Amino acid sequence: MATADHVDLEGFIAGVKRRNPGQDEFVQAVQEVAEDIFDFIQDKEQYHEYQILRRIAEPDRVVSFRVCWEDDKGAIRVQRGWRVQNNNSIGPYKGGIRFHPSVTESVLKFLAFEQTFKNSLTGLPMGGGKGGANFNPKGKSDHEVMRFCQSFMTELYRHVGADIDVPAGDIGVGAREIGYMFGQYKRITNQFTGVLTGKGLEFGGSLIRTEATGYGAVYFLKSMLENVGQGIEGKTAVISGSGNVATHAAEKIVQLGGKVLTLSDSEGFIHDPAGIDQAKIDWVKVHKTKRRGRISDYVKEFPGATFHGGGARPWSVPCDLALPCATQNELDGEEAKTLVKNGCIAVSEGANMPTTLAGVHVFKDAKILYAPGKAANAGGVSVSGLEMSQNSARISWKEEQLQGLLVDIMAGIHSSCVEYGGSAGTKHIDYVRGANIAGFKKVADAMLAYGVV
Ligand code: NDP
Ligand code: 2IT
């Protein structure tokens, strides 16, 4: 084989930018990973020779399709759908589906790229993928959402399968949407297989899948704190988002004796100095999923709280712990500095890439405990992997067993990060570096075994 072309980090990033014009989120995600991987592979010739990172940063394929549906007034609506199949070196493509007006090819490519490393970290056999559409479920009737989901699956079904690519939920895609999509897949193919995860318990879903991402992010936080002789009990937490991940992260913080001060949505955040306890979290869950309401309504129900509108984010509220659980780039460099200045000692990302590159560098430089999403929020996809196993075996595991497996998997990811993120002469763990390298290594070694494909 010809000698590899050893580009440096800057040259590599320039190439990624050139090949993906206007895809800022994708470039950001690749850059964050490349910063660590270039350092790690410096003296590992094979990874250069076989262009491993260059190949992981080029999705296996990106499928884009038209999704037509009819709204309740009889008007024809047209949306764009995608499935990005990033890498299946260690298992079938796996990753969620997002319905949100901000969805673009760049957003889904960044998510599929991140998912490849995240899924590798879980230790389960899953490759990386992500899909979605620029569809806004907010304000739509159930029947409109159903017709959209059916139309979306009418194209997607030919690209997915229990051993090919197994989607799940993400922003704007929860139990309702998964039900409609699974129903349509079954109708078209006449097959009852584990093609989606996050299914209802009546039709092949797994216990604790709903809770797994938020709970897992708190288990990871707990491991980081215990590693420095601390715990969650008595600590204050600021959380963004008020969806699946945020509410379950809040629930686990409360169960472990912490106090949750904030939740948010795209319109702003609520601050409840008395603490958002389990009864209040239950109210938020029902309000967001059943009534499809806004977080601002919280202050009408619980008058001790305040609402901060205009899209305000909660990072100025002093806290010990911060958990961004809404969306990408929701915590910038200035906000990261504010958190550190106010005494925040640990950040655990329930969302995918919620912190900008500038923010990541602030946390790294301040040497606080900082868990990137690909490690901290891997609990959700882990239980999805366990749902796939249960579906293949046509069996349902008990809750206790699944809770134990989730705890074990999150502890395993923490150990991997410590193994690759530690450095001689200091106790500090760089969890970003640890997650990037541990996630990369397994995928890279599988790719080396396959040769050039
Ligand atoms: P949900 O749809 O249940 O909730 C999303 C929450 O984030 C809502 O409160 C929403 O507010 C808010 N949000 C969405 N977009 C924006 C935005 N542009 N600006 C401000 N707030 C916004 O989604 P999830 O809880 O499932 O997902 C949250 C994050 O967690 C995402 O980054 C997702 O990729 C990640 N994740 C999810 C997993 C899962 O299992 N569900 C697994 C791993 C990661 P609003 O109602 O106003 O839109
Ligand atoms: O970002 C994620 O890990 C998810 N949205 C969950 C993916 C999954 O397949 O469960």
Side-chain angles (χ1 to χ4, degrees):
M1 182 170 294
T3 313
D5 181 13
H6 278 210
V7 291
D8 58 10
L9 177 61
E10 284 72 33
F12 176 76
I13 296 301
V16 173
K17 283 185 180 155
R18 199 173 52 247
R19 287 187 294 276
N20 302 280
Q23 301 199 335
D24 296 344
E25 295 87 358
F26 178 63
V27 172
Q28 179 186 341
V30 175
Q31 181 164 354
E32 192 231 68
V33 167
E35 283 176 5
D36 290 321
I37 300 304
F38 262 74
D39 191 40
F40 173 68
I41 65 176
Q42 237 178 40
D43 54 353
K44 299 178 180 65
E45 183 56 33
Q46 267 198 318
Y47 296 138
H48 288 285
E49 193 181 322
Y50 282 83
Q51 299 278 340
I52 298 295
L53 186 59
R54 167 85 171 80
R55 286 160 61 197
I56 298 178
E58 193 67 46
D60 288 356
R61 65 192 63 78
V62 179
V63 184
S64 157
F65 48 94
R66 182 181 63 239
V67 187
C68 305
W69 58 286
E70 194 177 330
D71 70 19
D72 287 345
K73 294 193 183 96
I76 303 303
R77 311 282 287 265
V78 184
Q79 247 78 46
R80 187 170 298 169
W82 289 269
R83 185 72 185 166
V84 178
Q85 297 178 330
N86 193 72
N87 190 296
N88 68 351
S89 297
I90 61 168
Y93 304 107
K94 180 86 195 86
I97 291 179
R98 178 177 291 191
F99 291 162
H100 194 272
S102 65
V103 166
T104 60
E105 189 174 309
S106 169
V107 167
L108 296 176
K109 277 171 68 177
F110 113 64
L111 288 163
F113 178 79
E114 287 282 291
Q115 196 84 44
T116 303
F117 296 84
K118 182 195 307 189
N119 293 1
S120 165
L121 281 169
T122 68
L124 300 173
M126 301 182 288
K130 200 87 184 187
N134 61 347
F135 170 71
N136 188 359
K138 273 194 214 113
K140 304 287 189 299
S141 71
D142 272 356
H143 279 180
E144 287 178 324
V145 171
M146 179 185 75
R147 288 194 291 274
F148 180 81
C149 288
Q150 290 176 340
S151 183
F152 184 82
M153 185 50 90
T154 301
E155 172 62 30
L156 186 70
Y157 90 95
R158 63 187 94 243
H159 309 292
V160 297
D163 295 315
I164 301 170
D165 183 354
V166 182
D170 193 77
I171 293 177
V173 178
R176 174 181 63 169
E177 291 75 17
I178 294 289
Y180 291 147
M181 286 193 276
F182 187 74
Q184 183 71 351
Y185 182 86
K186 186 173 67 58
R187 177 194 196 186
I188 295 172
T189 61
N190 199 25
Q191 283 181 15
F192 195 109
T193 61
V195 66
L196 294 172
T197 60
K199 299 186 292 297
L201 295 179
E202 309 79 12
F203 51 96
S206 174
L207 287 164
I208 82 156
R209 174 62 189 87
T210 311
E211 297 87 348
T213 310
Y215 280 18
V218 177
Y219 293 148
F220 198 91
L221 179 63
K222 182 168 174 275
S223 294
M224 291 198 299
L225 288 165
E226 282 171 355
N227 205 39
V228 295
Q230 300 219 41
I232 286 175
E233 193 166 358
K235 295 215 169 45
T236 53
V238 159
I239 300 181
S240 65
S242 48
N244 172 275
V245 180
T247 51
H248 291 103
E251 185 165 296
K252 187 51 78 179
I253 292 274
V254 170
Q255 285 173 11
L256 296 177
K259 184 174 177 183
V260 177
L261 298 176
T262 67
L263 288 171
S264 74
D265 65 19
S266 48
E267 290 171 5
F269 74 92
I270 54 106
H271 179 199
D272 188 343
I276 304 171
D277 61 16
Q278 186 64 52
K280 293 171 178 175
I281 294 168
D282 289 343
W283 182 88
V284 173
K285 282 187 191 172
V286 171
H287 191 62
K288 291 291 279 192
T289 57
K290 300 270 173 355
R291 292 192 289 273
R292 311 253 159 213
R294 311 304 303 156
I295 199 66
S296 55
D297 298 329
Y298 182 98
V299 299
K300 292 179 211 151
E301 191 71 15
F302 307 106
T306 48
F307 175 66
H308 307 259
R313 307 193 285 218
W315 314 122
S316 58
V317 175
C319 61
D320 303 310
L321 314 168
L323 293 101
C325 297
T327 192
Q328 65 274 2
N329 291 330
E330 54 160 323
L331 200 171
D332 64 21
E334 287 308 310
E335 290 164 319
K337 281 184 198 157
T338 303
L339 279 168
V340 172
K341 182 167 66 68
N342 286 342
C344 176
I345 58 166
V347 177
S348 182
E349 294 185 340
N352 287 304
M353 204 170 76
T355 310
T356 64
L357 261 182
V360 171
H361 288 138
V362 170
F363 291 147
K364 278 191 166 200
D365 292 347
K367 290 198 166 28
I368 66 165
L369 302 171
Y370 169 52
K374 62 172 77 68
N377 72 37
V381 76
S382 298
V383 176
S384 277
L386 301 177
E387 184 173 330
M388 289 167 71
S389 304
Q390 293 169 80
N391 291 168
S392 300
R394 299 188 196 286
I395 193 170
S396 296
W397 296 339
K398 293 198 167 37
E399 174 164 353
E400 203 182 15
Q401 190 178 358
L402 287 157
Q403 294 279 16
L405 286 167
L406 175 61
V407 168
D408 288 351
I409 291 170
M410 294 313 295
I413 298 173
H414 183 263
S415 301
S416 300
C417 291
V418 170
E419 184 182 347
Y420 289 99
S423 45
T426 163
K427 281 192 163 161
H428 178 70
I429 307 296
D430 181 342
Y431 285 95
V432 176
R433 181 181 158 82
N436 283 338
I437 295 174
F440 170 82
K441 197 169 175 310
K442 192 167 143 196
V443 176
D445 291 344
M447 289 172 73
L448 286 178
Y450 299 145
V452 182
V453 290

